[in-house]
Amino acid sequence: AKTAIANAEKEIKKLSFSEQLKYDLRLTEAKTQLKRAQGYLDAITASTKINDKTIALSAAVSANNLDLVEKTYHEMTAEFRKQTILLDRVYGQSTRDRIRNVVKGPAEKLINELKNDVTVHMLTKGAAEDIRLSRQAEAARKIYEAQAILDANALKWESRLQSSLTSVTNALPIEITSITRIDNTTLNLKLNRAISSVQISEFTVDNSLLITNATLSRDGLTVTLTTSAQTPSVKYSVKYKGSTASFIAPGTIIPIQMGNSTIQH
């Protein structure tokens, strides 16, 4: 059909302008049918490719191989994004829906069932690599994201993924990510990962500042320290498990007369 139309167009160009208009019009229906036929063929080809990737992913799931599941999942989703465009070009709503439902529905169902498992698996491996390269902040972020997914969803490989994530989490050195002075005797320390308990003896502060109490937040990420009175303008460094954070106690506020108003600095 494509060859016949091309030959006809070649011959039409030899005719007068009015004749060209007449025969071009007669080719319109043929071109329309050709386009629709190509849409059907493209959709069948796309369906086959999606179906092949779906079968491969299902086989990886049956093999209980998370690394293979991750690999085939990405291959399938890439193919799915590319090929579903062709499914949408089929002429006729009912035909289009029937073709799409054969492969698109099962593929989407499998993707949705596995996306959280794959994401947690990737984040856990990424966190382990970050720890190896001493990128503690990036590792802590990935661990937090992975744990949030595990806490909020029911996963197919939940126990295995949680075990792997816990191992990586325990390998992450605990660090103070920030220190906030609440008042003259209270400090808040943010940690890069959750801990289960704290002891006063685990914390040290220089310049003769004493720690009298340490309280851990419910999520295990924040430690509130009660200290002796902080001396104005003095810089203090708090050390916890090899990690150090510093703050400066505000200086004494002295009113300074400027013109007819009193401004405090």
Side-chain angles (χ1 to χ4, degrees):
K2 291 172 70 174
T3 301
I5 290 173
N7 289 336
E9 289 178 325
K10 182 179 178 181
E11 294 301 319
I12 288 172
K13 289 179 180 179
K14 300 176 183 178
L15 304 176
S16 65
F17 182 70
S18 60
E19 290 285 288
Q20 288 183 36
L21 292 178
K22 180 176 71 173
Y23 287 110
D24 274 337
L25 182 61
R26 291 178 60 179
L27 284 178
T28 300
E29 180 63 17
K31 289 180 178 180
T32 298
Q33 296 299 333
L34 179 65
K35 182 178 179 181
R36 293 175 181 176
Q38 188 62 59
Y40 294 139
L41 290 171
D42 287 343
I44 292 169
T45 301
S47 297
T48 301
K49 291 180 178 180
I50 293 173
N51 190 53
D52 288 345
K53 295 297 183 183
T54 303
I55 292 172
L57 180 55
S58 297
V61 172
S62 298
N64 205 29
N65 186 329
L66 271 172
D67 288 327
L68 184 59
V69 167
E70 180 186 329
K71 177 178 179 294
T72 52
Y73 175 89
H74 290 307
E75 292 174 351
M76 176 189 170
T77 52
E79 195 71 41
F80 184 80
R81 287 190 297 270
K82 181 170 64 176
Q83 300 300 337
T84 47
I85 297 173
L86 298 177
L87 299 183
D88 294 336
R89 294 176 181 172
V90 172
Y91 176 76
Q93 182 70 45
S94 59
T95 308
R96 180 165 59 250
D97 288 344
R98 290 185 67 182
I99 293 176
R100 288 168 62 183
N101 290 341
V102 169
V103 292
K104 191 174 182 180
E108 285 181 327
K109 182 176 182 293
L110 190 58
I111 289 171
N112 290 331
E113 288 175 352
L114 298 175
K115 63 180 180 181
N116 288 325
D117 292 81
V118 172
T119 301
V120 171
H121 185 56
M122 291 172 59
L123 288 170
T124 302
K125 292 197 304 181
E129 179 65 10
D130 286 334
I131 292 172
R132 187 182 71 82
L133 298 174
S134 298
R135 298 191 300 234
Q136 316 302 1
E138 291 87 343
R141 178 184 60 79
K142 290 183 175 71
I143 289 171
Y144 180 83
E145 290 180 12
Q147 190 60 61
I149 294 173
L150 280 164
D151 291 342
N153 301 275
L155 277 62
K156 182 176 181 61
W157 290 281
E158 186 166 345
S159 59
R160 190 198 303 184
L161 289 168
Q162 182 64 73
S163 178
S164 297
L165 183 61
T166 300
S167 297
V168 173
T169 301
N170 292 337
L172 178 66
I174 300 174
E175 293 183 350
I176 303 172
T177 59
S178 67
I179 184 168
T180 304
R181 180 184 179 275
I182 305 303
D183 55 39
N184 198 40
T185 59
T186 310
L187 304 172
N188 268 358
L189 307 182
K190 292 288 186 181
L191 305 179
N192 64 331
R193 69 175 176 88
I195 57 175
S196 58
S197 63
V198 290
Q199 302 293 330
I200 296 176
S201 59
E202 296 176 303
F203 300 87
T204 59
V205 190
D206 59 2
N207 291 320
S208 302
L209 190 67
L210 300 177
I211 298 175
T212 59
N213 190 41
T215 304
L216 185 63
S217 63
R218 181 174 297 180
D219 62 8
L221 291 170
T222 304
V223 179
T224 300
L225 298 179
T226 303
T227 70
S228 56
Q230 301 154 17
T231 304
S233 301
V234 172
K235 180 179 179 179
Y236 294 101
S237 294
V238 179
K239 188 173 183 179
Y240 174 64
K241 293 187 179 295
S243 177
T244 303
S246 301
F247 72 99
I248 299 176
T252 303
I253 297 175
I254 303 173
I256 298 176
Q257 188 71 28
M258 298 182 69
N260 296 323
S261 62
T262 297
I263 298 179
Q264 293 183 335
H265 293 267

